[in-house]
């Protein structure tokens, strides 16, 4: 399977218009309708978003200002009072949806649970009251480090309900990574579980929390709330640690949602960038609620009878926006799955679709490539006829994988929405609306209504059709991140200073390379900065380098991505050693283990290459471009004249 290359997608001419049947019953039914909505949004963006906010959400109090834009700082719906937990739960209780399934959970090994809107509301209120009892107040931050169990969604909604911001840390992150995030976010409490199920084994979570909190290294954390999941042996520290099932006993299920200001902090989610430690991406209440609500409704074409399944983990933005907030705000049935394909059960995803009659399925290209490898006999042996819409997210999808997904999973009847967006954008930005926009395999197609996306050069000019450039957004949108937690200057530098303002319009720099074709369709090429996308997970090369150099044997480290058929990219680390250490197979293994310990298994280098020196410019900058070529076994081409010591390159070549 080939990677997405300019060559391969330039030849991609296939066009897949939605079927008349799909379009007829879709929320947005035609290209003309999409274009009309876009025209309305462009003519008066504030009116467009205000009308949707009025129609789609419940407000305790209406806003006074739609948008206050002091570039790059946006405030949406100032003066308004709203609560996203209310919009996701309470407002549905007054309708027939009260007894509709809100959350279907498929757990490992074989557990399952369905919570109606009424039941989910009850549990959220109880957890909210428990948080209050433990002293959590409006404005506090709560860390969430949980596996894919209903309590993850319950915890998020409980925080939102009382006005505490959550900061969810992916359960695959190490104790060290967890500690960094809890410290940066000054979390007051952590919600975790004894452990979680990952591919037939119970992995510890509480033990990692203990490690993260050891020796008072996160002084702000006063309490730990522990969900029982795996029943593995754990230690409970008296006074600090509490079982959720104990505190849930006898706590009231009545907890009115706190009216929040539109711009009150909803959550912080950490994401990797090209420099420094992960950034705390800040999302606030009203704009995020509106943006995730309307994108979920139109892009996934949610109908009231649908069972919708997004396979992301709650620890990533996709889990936040498109498992929890977007679907529940729409009163949908959202499915949550704890498992993953493994040798003992390679067809488990298709079993889940068949068992629950899933209608909408949203996953990542890396997963699709793994499905292809496992063989089409697996999906072919199941009845997947309930599916009516498919989606992808996280990385560019190669046309071959797109076609397989379309044929084998979608039975050539389901539109595919290839959705481009980021942690920072809060919700989907470039995507087909499935009843309106014809798709092309490998293209995220067109911007969502109200989004002014462009492909630009570094002067901020639009580049002509079919020429490469930088993916950028011209106008603020309600779901955009508001700042980097505790570091507004980093927010400005990272996203708003790469491209100069054009005609007074500030331009958001996404960090992705892209091109638009003659139909205006976007083809996203991947990151243009030092971010690697491994299996749809974003990792900063610098984070991995810092982890490596924190090992006593390592003098210097340079990390690059190498194309990988399955994962999109794989991590290759070039390492020089301190004088007293010699390269060995053992040290190689130890360094990989060290990175896992520092960051988590997702950051484990595929390859570590020991070298005597790293190629540098005269000013001492590591020439990653050369290392990237070396890592992927390509001839080193282009300009090497800035290389300080040419023999370094020869030695590196010999070593490979
Ligand atoms: C949602 C998410 C963001 C980065 C982004 C891109 C890449 C995401 C697509 C994609 C091509 C897509 N948030 N990316 N979606 N590239 N086509 N449909 O993934 O913050 O974790 O990552 O992911 O590089 O900048 S994220």
């Amino acid at each position: 399977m080939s990677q997405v290359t300019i060559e391969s997608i330039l030849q991609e001419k296939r066009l897949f218009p939605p079927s008349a049947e799909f379009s007829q019953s879709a929320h947005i039914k035609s290209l003309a309708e999409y274009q009309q909505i876009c025209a309305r949004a462009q003519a008066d963006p504030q009116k467009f978003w205000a009308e949707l906010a009025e129609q789609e959400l419940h407000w305790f109090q209406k806003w006074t200002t739609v948008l206050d834009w002091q570039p790059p700082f946006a405030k949406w719906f100032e003066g308004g009072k709203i609560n996203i937990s209310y919009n996701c739960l309470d407002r549905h209780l007054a309708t027939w949806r009260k007894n509709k399934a809100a959350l279907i959970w498929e757990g490992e090994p074989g557990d399952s649970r369905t919570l109606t809107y009424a039941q989910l509301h009850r549990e959220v209120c109880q957890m909210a009251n428990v948080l209050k009892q433990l002293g959590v107040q409006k404005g506090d931050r709560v860390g969430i480090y949980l596996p894919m169990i209903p309590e993850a969604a319950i915890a998020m909604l409980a925080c939102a309900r009382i006005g505490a911001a959550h900061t969810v840390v992916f359960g695959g992150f190490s104790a060290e990574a967890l500690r960094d995030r809890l410290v940066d976010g000054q979390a007051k409490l952590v919600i975790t579980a004894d452990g979680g199920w990952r591919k037939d084994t119970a992995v510890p979570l509480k033990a990692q929390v203990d490690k993260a909190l050891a020796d008072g290294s996160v002084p702000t954390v006063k309490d730990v709330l522990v969900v029982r999941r795996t029943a593995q042996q754990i230690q409970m520290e008296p006074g600090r640690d509490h079982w959720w099932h104990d505190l849930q006993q006898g706590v009231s299920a009545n907890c009115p949602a706190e009216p929040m200001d539109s711009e009150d902090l909803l959550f912080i989610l950490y994401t990797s960038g090209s420099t420094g430690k992960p950034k705390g991406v800040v999302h606030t209440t009203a704009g995020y609620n509106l943006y995730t609500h309307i994108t979920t409704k139109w892009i996934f074409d949610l109908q009231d009878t649908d069972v919708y399944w997004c396979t992301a983990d709650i620890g990533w933005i996709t889990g936040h926006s498109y498992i929890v907030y977007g679907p529940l705000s729409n009163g949908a049935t959202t499915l949550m799955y704890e498992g993953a394909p493994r040798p003992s059960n390679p067809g488990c995803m298709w079993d889940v679709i068949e068992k629950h009659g899933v209608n909408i399925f949203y996953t990542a290209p890396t997963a699709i490539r793994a499905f292809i490898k496992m063989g089409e006999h697996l999906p072919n042996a199941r009845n997947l006829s309930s599916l009516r819409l498919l989606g992808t997210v996280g990385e560019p999808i190669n046309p071959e994988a797109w076609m397989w997904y379309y044929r084998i999973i979608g039975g050539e009847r389901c539109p595919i929405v290839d959705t481009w967006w980021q942690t920072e954008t809060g919700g989907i930005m470039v995507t087909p609306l499935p009843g309106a926009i014809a798709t092309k395999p490998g293209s995220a197609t067109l911007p969502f209504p109200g989004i002014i996306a462009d492909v630009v050069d570094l002067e901020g000019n639009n580049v002509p059709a079919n020429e490469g450039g930088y993916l950028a957004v011209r106008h603020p949108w309600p779901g955009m991140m508001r700042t980097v937690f505790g570091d507004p200057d980093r927010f400005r530098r990272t996203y708003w200073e790469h491209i100069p303002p054009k005609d007074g319009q500030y331009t958001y720099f996404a960090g992705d390379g892209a091109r638009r074709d003659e139909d205006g369709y976007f083809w996203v090429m991947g990151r243009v900065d030092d971010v690697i996308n491994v299996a749809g997970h974003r990792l900063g090369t610098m984070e991995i380098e810092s982890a490596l150099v924190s090992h006593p044997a390592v003098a210097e480290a340079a990390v690059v991505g190498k194309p990988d058929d399955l994962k999109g990219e794989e991590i290759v680390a070039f390492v020089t050693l301190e004088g007293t250490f010699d390269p060995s197979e053992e040290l190689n293994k130890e360094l990989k283990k060290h990175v896992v310990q520092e960051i988590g298994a997702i950051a484990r280098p595929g390859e570590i290459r020991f070298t005597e020196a790293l190629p540098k410019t005269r000013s001492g900058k590591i020439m990653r471009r050369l290392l990237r070529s070396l890592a992927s076994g390509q001839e080193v081409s282009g300009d090497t004249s800035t290389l300080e010591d040419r023999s370094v390159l020869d030695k590196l070549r010999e070593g490979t």
Side-chain angles (χ1 to χ4, degrees):
M1 241 163 299
S2 68
Q3 277 306 298
V4 181
T5 60
I6 299 219
E7 295 72 44
S8 75
I9 63 173
L10 276 176
Q11 291 157 14
E12 185 51 67
K13 295 278 181 228
R14 285 170 287 200
L15 192 68
F16 294 83
S19 69
E21 194 195 343
F22 191 99
S23 292
Q24 265 160 26
S25 53
H27 285 293
I28 312 297
K29 298 179 189 334
S30 66
L31 186 62
E33 188 181 354
Y34 162 76
Q35 286 166 338
Q36 268 166 24
I37 301 174
C38 289
R40 249 198 307 126
Q42 202 149 359
D44 192 343
Q46 297 197 22
K47 183 158 170 254
F48 172 73
W49 292 116
E51 278 175 10
L52 286 172
E54 179 102 61
Q55 281 161 21
E56 303 287 334
L57 301 181
H58 166 273
W59 296 83
F60 296 112
Q61 183 182 302
K62 198 178 158 175
W63 60 89
T64 48
T65 320
V66 180
L67 172 64
D68 171 13
W69 180 224
Q70 318 270 347
F73 300 101
K75 290 180 178 169
W76 285 89
F77 306 112
E78 280 268 280
K81 295 268 187 199
I82 189 168
N83 186 295
I84 196 169
S85 164
Y86 187 98
N87 275 311
C88 287
L89 299 169
D90 306 51
R91 65 163 160 167
H92 305 311
L93 300 187
T95 73
W96 68 271
R97 293 193 188 94
K98 180 175 177 188
N99 296 320
K100 174 181 175 175
L103 188 69
I104 297 176
W105 174 68
E106 266 299 311
E108 291 283 308
D111 298 347
S112 80
R113 208 179 150 193
T114 298
L115 288 144
T116 63
Y117 272 93
Q119 291 168 328
L120 183 60
H121 174 259
R122 184 182 167 81
E123 297 247 345
V124 168
C125 288
Q126 287 180 323
M127 195 176 288
N129 279 330
V130 165
L131 292 177
K132 279 199 213 166
Q133 273 175 20
L134 293 172
V136 176
Q137 291 172 355
K138 185 173 176 174
D140 287 340
R141 267 85 57 205
V142 171
I144 298 179
Y145 187 64
L146 282 171
M148 287 290 284
I149 56 177
E151 286 75 8
I154 292 167
M156 291 164 74
L157 291 161
C159 289
R161 194 163 189 86
I162 62 172
H166 52 73
T167 171
V168 182
V169 179
F170 172 55
F173 275 125
S174 68
E176 280 74 13
L178 172 63
R179 178 194 298 141
D180 290 347
R181 285 156 177 77
L182 295 175
V183 167
D184 189 84
Q186 300 150 320
K188 192 164 182 180
L189 180 145
V190 181
I191 306 174
T192 190
D194 45 1
W197 290 102
R198 222 158 257 274
K199 304 197 177 179
D200 295 326
T201 46
V203 297
L205 287 170
K206 173 62 165 61
Q208 299 279 52
V209 173
D210 292 342
K211 225 168 132 188
L213 302 183
D215 310 319
S217 48
V218 195
T220 52
V221 171
K222 304 289 181 230
D223 296 276
V224 179
L225 187 60
V226 187
V227 178
R228 180 139 75 198
R229 171 70 191 116
T230 53
Q232 66 202 89
Q233 199 60 43
I234 59 164
Q235 313 229 298
M236 294 291 280
E237 191 179 301
R240 186 194 72 179
D241 301 345
H242 321 268
W243 284 109
W244 157 237
H245 60 259
D246 283 344
L247 299 191
Q248 190 182 13
Q249 294 297 318
V251 75
S252 160
N254 176 27
C255 177
E258 181 72 27
M260 303 297 290
D261 287 335
S262 291
E263 282 297 335
D264 276 341
L265 178 59
L266 176 63
F267 66 84
I268 307 168
L269 186 61
Y270 288 82
T271 194
S272 299
S274 47
T275 56
K277 54 182 179 121
K279 298 178 280 272
V281 171
V282 164
H283 284 290
T284 57
T285 305
Y288 177 83
N289 191 354
L290 177 62
Y291 197 67
T292 52
H293 175 98
I294 198 64
T295 50
T296 308
K297 181 170 175 175
W298 287 353
I299 297 164
F300 299 109
D301 189 46
L302 275 188
Q303 307 293 335
D304 246 322
T305 50
D306 282 329
V307 175
Y308 161 93
W309 180 18
C310 165
T311 67
D313 191 283
I314 267 317
W316 311 113
I317 189 71
T318 307
H320 285 55
S321 300
Y322 297 112
I323 295 178
V324 180
Y325 290 118
L328 295 177
S329 181
N330 280 284
T333 298
T334 184
L335 191 145
M336 194 172 169
Y337 184 47
E338 191 185 20
R342 55 208 183 276
S344 65
N345 193 359
C348 59
M349 308 297 278
W350 321 123
D351 288 337
V352 172
I353 292 176
E354 189 175 78
K355 175 175 173 190
H356 294 285
V358 171
N359 307 104
I360 303 165
F361 181 62
Y362 187 35
T363 194
T366 189
I368 296 167
R369 291 191 295 264
F371 299 149
I372 298 175
K373 214 166 182 177
M374 288 184 273
E376 63 180 70
H377 63 283
L378 296 168
N380 286 345
R382 273 84 175 176
N383 181 355
L384 303 183
S385 63
S386 59
L387 290 172
R388 61 178 199 90
L389 177 63
L390 303 174
T392 75
V393 61
E395 51 184 319
I397 183 164
N398 43 312
E400 295 90 328
W402 195 101
M403 286 305 305
W404 187 91
Y405 197 33
Y406 184 74
R407 288 210 184 99
I408 306 300
I409 306 306
E412 297 185 26
R413 103 195 140 258
C414 306
I416 297 179
V417 289
D418 174 351
T419 62
W420 177 85
W421 61 295
Q422 310 177 294
T423 307
E424 293 87 339
T425 67
I428 297 166
M429 301 289 279
V430 180
T431 176
L433 296 184
I437 297 172
T439 54
K440 302 181 187 183
S443 170
T445 75
L446 300 170
F448 190 79
I451 300 302
I452 313 296
D454 265 330
V455 178
V456 304
D457 61 25
L458 284 180
E459 273 82 59
N461 303 306
N462 288 17
V463 302
N466 286 316
E467 275 179 32
Y470 301 95
L471 187 39
V473 187
R474 300 286 195 189
H475 188 276
W477 65 100
M480 67 194 281
M481 76 181 281
R482 297 301 193 262
T483 188
V484 171
F485 188 72
D487 199 347
D489 203 54
R490 189 166 173 202
F491 173 61
R492 185 198 300 276
R493 281 197 317 271
T494 310
Y495 304 102
W496 302 94
E497 284 185 349
H498 289 274
I499 302 167
K502 181 131 184 286
D503 310 324
Q505 268 201 327
Y506 273 70
T507 303
Y508 171 81
F509 173 79
D512 279 311
R515 124 189 123 82
R516 279 183 110 165
D517 67 17
E518 54 286 349
D519 299 324
Y521 277 41
F522 283 77
W523 298 82
V524 181
M525 312 303 303
R527 302 293 304 192
V528 293
D529 51 8
D530 291 324
V531 170
I532 317 186
N533 195 328
V534 184
H537 298 147
R538 234 170 107 166
L539 291 159
T541 52
M542 219 179 114
E543 271 173 273
I544 307 168
E545 287 162 10
S546 309
L548 282 164
V549 297
S550 73
H551 188 282
V554 176
E556 277 186 306
V559 165
V560 296
K562 158 185 163 180
D564 181 271
D565 275 354
L566 214 56
K567 294 187 273 185
E569 281 187 286
E570 154 141 303
I571 300 165
V572 179
F574 292 85
V575 166
T576 65
L577 295 176
E578 292 288 354
T580 52
F581 291 88
D582 288 319
S584 71
E585 204 37 52
E586 226 175 13
L587 184 57
N588 197 305
K589 276 195 195 128
E590 188 179 318
L591 292 182
K592 287 180 185 167
K593 224 175 95 190
H594 181 70
V595 174
V596 172
Q597 201 156 37
E598 291 289 310
I599 303 173
I602 54 168
R604 184 198 303 273
E607 223 181 289
I608 290 185
R609 296 196 191 174
F610 295 113
T611 172
E612 270 174 44
L614 293 170
K616 290 188 185 164
T617 63
R618 274 166 252 264
S619 60
K621 285 210 180 79
I622 294 171
M623 295 183 74
R624 286 167 202 284
R625 180 171 56 82
L626 302 187
L627 294 175
R628 267 194 289 269
S629 302
L630 280 169
S632 54
Q634 286 163 358
E635 227 353 86
V636 174
S637 58
D639 187 14
T640 53
S641 61
T642 50
L643 193 61
E644 191 204 29
D645 176 1
R646 295 197 52 96
S647 72
V648 169
L649 192 57
D650 298 330
K651 280 192 194 135
L652 270 165
R653 272 209 201 96
E654 280 161 26
T656 62

